[in-house]
Amino acid sequence: MMNKWRQDEFLLHAGIFDQLQNHKDQNPFSEAGKRNRAIRSLIMSSGISQAFHVILQEKNI
């Protein structure tokens, strides 16, 4: 069996939103802020994830 997704679709299906961190830090360069922006950039419709695909292959032995 083989499944193929765009990278952004795969990340959403895999639960990438669970990796976002709640924070009240006003500093846009805080670790949590930078991490959240990086995660969002992976799934934005204008992001680079539109150009990459993920292929999952499975073999029953």
Side-chain angles (χ1 to χ4, degrees):
M1 175 182 221
M2 184 174 88
N3 293 315
K4 178 182 173 188
W5 292 285
R6 282 190 339 251
Q7 181 176 309
D8 58 330
E9 294 171 330
F10 173 78
L11 292 171
L12 288 170
H13 183 70
I16 195 164
F17 284 136
D18 295 338
Q19 301 300 314
L20 291 173
Q21 297 176 354
N22 288 327
H23 67 93
K24 297 183 193 275
D25 193 345
Q26 298 297 321
N27 179 2
F29 301 105
S30 69
E31 289 303 313
K34 289 191 294 187
R35 179 182 172 91
N36 288 348
R37 280 193 306 281
I39 290 170
R40 283 191 298 259
S41 73
L42 289 173
I43 57 172
M44 290 177 58
S45 60
S46 62
I48 197 164
S49 286
Q50 298 280 323
F52 291 95
H53 289 86
V54 175
I55 296 175
L56 297 179
Q57 295 181 327
E58 185 178 319
K59 181 176 180 181
N60 294 326
I61 298 178

